[in-house]
Amino acid sequence: MLARWFVGGFAVAIFIGSSPLEAQLPRPLVPLPEKGLRVVPFFDGWYANPDGTISFSFGYSNLNKDTVVEIPLGPDNFIVPKEYDGRQPTAFLVVAPEPPDGGGGGGRGAGASPDAAAGAGAAASAGAGAAAGTGAAAAGAGAARGGGAAANRGRDRDRERGVFTVTVPGSYKGDVVWTLRYAGQTFSVPARAKSTAYQLSWPAAMGSLPPLLSFQPSGATGRGPTGIQGAPLQAKVGAPLPLTIWLTDDAVHDKEPIKFGRERPGMNVSWYKHSGPGPVVFDPQKAPFPTPTGQSTTTATFKEPGDYVIRVKADAFGYADSSSGNQCCWTNGYQKVAVTR
């Protein structure tokens, strides 16, 4: 029997009940199955806010190829303490691997720190020692490598970072724990601000900042993973709903010492279903944002009635020092939509 234990993000295989010869025999490399794989919460780190509060940043990893996993709020998707429950997503997308040349899609890019897949997440959960249940969020990088086949290379980078934050008082001493249960596996990750090793901040190395995002041309703006909440909207099933944001890149960027060799927009805008009962189709789902300031529009078409939260992510991944792997620089916007027939 093969038992896998995940320690600090690495998979350790222990053979039980096999002879030494059997354990040494070559075994075929089998690709990971496309469904029934783990969905894991990650703690990405924490931010110190100007008002003295602290924001914990969370993300996730879904290894189920081409499968959006839905885990409704409740016993399979919850946060404790209960007062912080409800901001987390219920739709877990398959995140495309980051391009190795960086830029535009959240790649590493020149000057970006190596993406250890776990980022602050797996390391934090391992260090905090509070991962619970049948799995640990520290499994991040290790589980992604579990298949070993070429088809699965890079899956340790298939992770969505900074999807939402939980803000606590600066005097808060406990943990905020996110738990996910899926396909017979339970993963929990604690967020805490007891170590500066997991403290996140900007600007990035060459000056990049999360862009300023607003849902109104002259309205309030948000910056970073905490982002901003838009006014509630209403929509009808099957009727495209226009969604518009306004962006400003106010960063003072240093000149890139080495060019990537191709032109690319500094910012990009991506739209996601964060939570809700049915599929949502965006047109477009992702679009470049080539100017320092302006607006970006998409349409969202809902297949089923109910209450939804749409998340828009505006990133500055076109710059050399900005990528999801080094935890900079993007801004979230959240839009509640009530959909009727």
Side-chain angles (χ1 to χ4, degrees):
M1 180 175 66
L2 174 61
R4 291 188 184 275
W5 298 84
F6 298 103
V7 181
F10 296 93
V12 180
I14 302 174
F15 288 89
I16 302 173
S18 303
S19 68
L21 177 60
E22 289 175 325
Q24 296 176 40
L25 290 176
R27 297 174 181 270
L29 297 178
V30 180
L32 291 174
E34 295 188 0
K35 296 182 180 180
L37 297 176
R38 62 158 178 81
V39 180
V40 179
F42 276 78
F43 170 50
D44 290 321
W46 60 275
Y47 299 90
N49 299 315
D51 62 0
T53 60
I54 291 171
S55 291
F56 298 133
S57 180
F58 290 92
Y60 65 82
S61 172
N62 171 19
L63 287 189
N64 294 273
K65 184 179 179 182
D66 300 328
T67 302
V68 177
V69 173
E70 301 279 353
I71 309 178
L73 301 179
D76 295 330
N77 181 0
F78 64 92
I79 291 175
V80 292
K82 190 175 181 179
E83 63 189 284
Y84 301 119
D85 193 25
R87 288 186 57 85
Q88 68 269 33
T90 66
F92 298 87
L93 310 182
V94 179
V95 183
E98 296 176 357
D101 59 346
R108 295 184 191 182
S113 61
D115 181 3
S125 60
T134 59
R145 301 187 185 100
N152 297 318
R153 288 173 187 165
R155 277 194 165 189
D156 57 336
R157 294 197 303 275
D158 297 1
R159 187 158 82 76
E160 186 71 14
R161 294 164 176 81
V163 175
F164 72 101
T165 62
V166 170
T167 299
V168 300
S171 58
Y172 189 83
K173 301 299 183 184
D175 294 342
V176 173
V177 182
W178 184 20
T179 296
L180 289 174
R181 295 190 176 109
Y182 179 72
Q185 302 177 78
T186 298
F187 295 91
S188 295
V189 67
R192 60 182 61 163
K194 297 177 182 177
S195 172
T196 56
Y198 307 124
Q199 185 173 2
L200 306 174
S201 63
W202 51 71
M206 294 170 58
S208 290
L209 291 168
L212 290 171
L213 187 153
S214 176
F215 286 101
Q216 299 293 331
S218 300
T221 59
R223 191 198 299 273
T226 299
I228 187 170
Q229 177 76 54
L233 299 177
Q234 295 183 341
K236 296 282 189 180
V237 170
L241 173 69
L243 298 170
T244 301
I245 60 168
W246 282 259
L247 287 180
T248 298
D249 178 13
D250 60 343
V252 179
H253 301 279
D254 293 342
K255 184 178 180 180
E256 294 184 13
I258 301 175
K259 290 292 184 181
F260 283 96
R262 62 182 177 89
E263 295 297 324
R264 65 203 184 283
M267 295 189 291
N268 300 274
V269 178
S270 303
W271 299 84
Y272 307 93
K273 186 187 90 167
H274 190 71
S275 63
V280 183
V281 177
F282 298 98
D283 184 19
Q285 190 273 325
K286 183 173 183 177
F289 196 91
T291 60
T293 186
Q295 69 184 63
S296 181
T297 300
T298 190
T299 62
T301 303
F302 302 85
K303 304 289 188 178
E304 298 178 18
D307 293 327
Y308 292 79
V309 175
I310 301 303
R311 179 172 72 98
V312 57
K313 181 174 77 172
D315 69 65
F317 294 164
Y319 296 101
D321 59 341
S322 176
S323 76
S324 63
N326 63 11
Q327 296 290 348
C328 194
C329 300
W330 69 92
T331 297
N332 290 324
Y334 304 93
Q335 185 80 67
K336 293 182 178 180
V337 182
V339 180
T340 58
R341 291 200 180 276

